[in-house]
Amino acid sequence: IFLMRSSSAEARTLLLVAATSLFVLSVRGSDSHHTSEGHIFPSTCDKYPQHQNEGTFVPVSSVYGGTPHHPPLPTRSSVPQKLELPHRFLLAAKGDLCEGWKRYHSTVAWRRANLVDEILSEPQPHFLLIKQHYPHFIHLRGYRNEPVYYEKPARMNLKELRQGGVSLETLLRHFIFVTEFLWTVVEPSESGKSIYVIDLEGIRLLDFVGEAISFVRKASDFTSKHYPERAGSIYVVNVPSWFNTIWKVVRPMLDESTLAKITIIGNDAKEIKEALLRRIPPCALPPEYGGKSLPLGYSQEERMLWEHIRMISESQWGRSTFAGGNHAVPYERQVNSHRGSQNGP
């Protein structure tokens, strides 16, 4: 209310920046006018045997093939000489074939310039530190087999990341790495879509300025440009009361197809649970949101990611960068057991 009524130029500027930032956050990976529903899967915990036994998970070597110590790491470098336009890019261009090709050629050039095809083979010496101070998780699947991605931007600790040697560019490179892992290993289907849960618990208006939101903007920019048609549903949860003021500014900027994907929910735990259960089975919903799955960080997908990081380290340096090499331990235990071991050799 103060910002809306204030004659202060700084206050008006802050509101404008917050509204712009929220707009970017809302359309992250979602520039579609069409949603492919995919196949409907039954609501059963039989899909997730790791829920019953925490120690049960599929080794990465069985996903990639090869031996546990020297697996053939995934890559997309074998691009055919004659490019075919992926349907996602045509949809993102609203059916405009020329625009679709323009966007796709831009993405091919971006991938080559940034060595994205080789990124899943790059060592990640800051992986543990980033995981500790930037909570983000790939956690099981929705009813229509969509991988679910959770992110908590309000808990990003850029001060600790900087002190550990993580620059904004390093953080963005990590985000590309995780995005590639999601769409190359977890869900390699070209038509695959995700459920994206953005948890804003604890966020302040001032958080919409500075480096944190700069990261969100840059990450949103390349995901919307180079990973189009990947967001099936977006849930923004635990929004503060002042969020509605900014949302009124942002909402008219979005087209109807994008608005149809976005669900905004306050900090009512029951309402959040009910909304997420419309797209995610109870056995796949983490207990942080009222579900019955393992907590965030303990999913099959996160275990695969940790093992992948270990194998890259052993392939590059002959050992794991994590103390003890206990790659099968999920995120929370790694963080608690190995604080300070974030640096590579």
Side-chain angles (χ1 to χ4, degrees):
I1 294 174
F2 166 76
L3 288 172
M4 293 297 288
R5 294 178 179 175
S6 175
S7 59
S8 163
E10 291 82 0
R12 292 197 304 272
T13 300
L14 179 58
L15 179 60
L16 179 60
V17 169
T20 304
S21 303
L22 178 58
F23 170 76
V24 172
L25 196 66
S26 299
V27 299
R28 187 166 176 173
S30 175
D31 54 0
S32 166
H33 73 291
H34 173 77
T35 301
S36 175
E37 295 296 343
H39 298 288
I40 299 178
F41 284 76
S43 173
T44 170
C45 288
D46 292 342
K47 287 174 56 185
Y48 306 113
Q50 70 272 25
H51 295 191
Q52 313 301 327
N53 181 355
E54 185 178 327
T56 303
F57 68 102
V58 178
V60 159
S61 56
S62 71
V63 178
Y64 301 149
T67 67
H69 298 291
H70 299 283
L73 297 175
T75 176
R76 294 179 179 175
S77 57
S78 55
V79 178
Q81 294 297 317
K82 184 178 180 180
L83 295 178
E84 295 183 3
L85 180 63
H87 191 55
R88 292 186 293 111
F89 285 83
L90 183 61
L91 291 176
K94 313 290 187 188
D96 185 326
L97 187 60
C98 291
E99 179 63 22
W101 272 110
K102 181 180 177 180
R103 290 191 58 161
Y104 185 51
H105 281 299
S106 174
T107 292
V108 171
W110 172 79
R111 294 183 67 88
R112 288 174 177 166
N114 292 279
L115 302 178
V116 178
D117 290 338
E118 289 77 39
I119 197 169
L120 289 181
S121 299
E122 288 182 7
Q124 303 292 314
H126 297 291
F127 180 80
L128 176 59
L129 181 67
I130 293 174
K131 271 291 194 179
Q132 180 180 350
H133 295 293
Y134 165 35
H136 57 291
F137 313 92
I138 307 170
H139 190 87
L140 306 180
R141 298 195 177 234
Y143 282 114
R144 302 180 187 277
N145 204 36
E146 318 99 310
V148 188
Y149 182 82
Y150 296 81
E151 188 172 5
K152 301 183 178 184
R155 289 179 54 190
M156 184 186 297
N157 191 333
L158 286 173
K159 180 180 178 180
E160 292 291 337
L161 289 171
R162 283 195 300 271
Q163 289 179 352
V166 177
S167 65
L168 188 60
E169 291 306 313
T170 301
L171 192 59
L172 285 167
R173 190 71 179 170
H174 168 88
F175 188 80
I176 297 175
F177 179 92
V178 173
T179 303
E180 279 293 298
F181 185 85
L182 172 60
W183 298 117
T184 303
V185 179
V186 176
E187 181 52 69
S189 170
E190 182 61 30
S191 60
K193 293 183 180 291
S194 67
I195 298 173
Y196 182 29
V197 181
I198 312 170
D199 191 339
L200 297 185
E201 182 178 13
I203 202 164
R204 304 166 301 166
L205 187 57
L206 290 175
D207 290 330
F208 281 97
V209 296
E211 282 191 304
I213 202 60
S214 177
F215 164 75
V216 170
R217 285 175 181 161
K218 290 182 179 181
S220 300
D221 180 62
F222 78 70
T223 52
S224 61
K225 286 180 179 178
H226 306 304
Y227 298 90
E229 296 297 315
R230 287 303 197 183
S233 303
I234 302 172
Y235 290 90
V236 187
V237 304
N238 283 315
V239 300
S241 56
W242 51 261
F243 188 91
N244 291 329
T245 301
I246 300 178
W247 181 242
K248 289 178 182 178
V249 178
V250 172
R251 188 180 179 90
M253 304 179 191
L254 306 178
D255 60 34
E256 290 300 320
S257 61
T258 299
L259 284 172
K261 295 181 179 183
I262 301 172
T263 302
I264 308 291
I265 312 171
N267 55 9
D268 186 316
K270 182 179 179 181
E271 186 180 356
I272 293 173
K273 177 182 177 180
E274 290 176 351
L276 294 178
L277 284 176
R278 296 188 190 108
R279 298 302 300 265
I280 305 170
C283 55
L285 186 67
E288 291 89 335
Y289 301 101
K292 299 178 180 179
S293 78
L294 294 170
L296 289 172
Y298 287 79
S299 70
Q300 174 91 347
E301 295 82 0
E302 286 292 309
R303 290 167 178 265
M304 289 170 62
L305 179 58
W306 279 92
E307 188 176 356
H308 180 77
I309 294 295
R310 178 192 66 82
M311 289 193 299
I312 296 175
S313 299
E314 291 185 351
S315 175
Q316 181 76 14
W317 296 314
R319 63 177 179 83
S320 171
T321 57
F322 303 136
N326 192 7
H327 63 279
V329 178
Y331 163 69
E332 289 87 347
R333 289 190 192 169
Q334 288 277 13
V335 168
N336 293 333
S337 300
H338 308 307
R339 287 187 187 275
S341 64
Q342 66 270 19
N343 297 321

